[in-house]
Amino acid sequence: MMDSIKVSDCMSHQFVSFSPSTHVVEAAIELVKNELLGGPVINDAGHLVGWISEQDCIGAVSQVAYYSERVAMVEDVMSRDVTSVDGDRNAMDLAEDMKKHRRKVYPVVDSSNKVLGVISRRHILRAMCTLIMDSEKGAFSRGGHNPPHHPWPH
């Protein structure tokens, strides 16, 4: 059942991205405000050039807090070696990779490396739980019991 789910079926199309020339403090503020672990860094053409995480920001932001100088830009601290995924990839295969490599979030890109969205462990977990709950709902309706309540909107 989960074998038919693609990354594009459960990824988020709404994401916060950053320019390489953004001050790290501004990037950190956006990450905190949106409760994100990180986000893609894209160039003017919308292509993925890096990833900035809370981990990348914390050292530079602590320097600003200590010295009161905003000197670091996103391009100074971002990871340039970013593992991205294709929207057509099987979500269960990606879940296995997430378990193995302990990555939490991946940017989803098209064939030209343009960012289409992001996918996290939570997105895949939600898709798996929804499938399980939907299949149980069908079993409940045949058995006369009440189906489980979905804790999130579809």
Side-chain angles (χ1 to χ4, degrees), residues 53-127:
S53 68
E54 292 173 317
Q55 182 70 35
D56 298 326
C57 292
I58 202 158
V61 172
S62 66
Q63 290 293 315
V64 171
Y66 190 74
Y67 295 111
S68 299
E69 292 181 21
R70 294 186 184 200
V71 293
M73 307 301 266
V74 165
E75 65 188 341
D76 299 327
V77 300
M78 70 182 190
S79 300
R80 295 175 192 280
D81 183 24
V82 182
T83 302
S84 60
V85 296
D86 183 282
D88 289 331
R89 183 164 182 203
N90 179 287
M92 283 304 289
D93 291 343
L94 181 59
E96 286 300 315
D97 281 354
M98 287 176 158
K99 283 181 1 189
K100 190 182 329 175
H101 300 293
R102 303 189 59 81
R103 287 198 177 100
K104 299 173 178 113
V105 186
Y106 291 83
V108 181
V109 298
D110 65 13
S111 59
S112 68
N113 207 35
K114 188 170 182 174
V115 179
L116 304 174
V118 295
I119 188 160
S120 68
R121 294 184 298 195
R122 182 170 297 148
H123 293 119
I124 293 177
L125 194 57
R126 179 179 292 139

Side-chain angles (χ1 to χ4, degrees), residues 1 12 14 16 24-25 43 46 51-53 73 77 83 95 127-128 135 137 142 147:
M1 97 175 104
S12 175
Q14 296 177 340
V16 177
V24 173
V25 171
N43 63 17
W51 184 267
I52 187 147
S53 68
M73 307 301 266
V77 300
T83 302
M128 289 190 287
S135 70
K137 185 169 38 174
R142 289 188 296 278

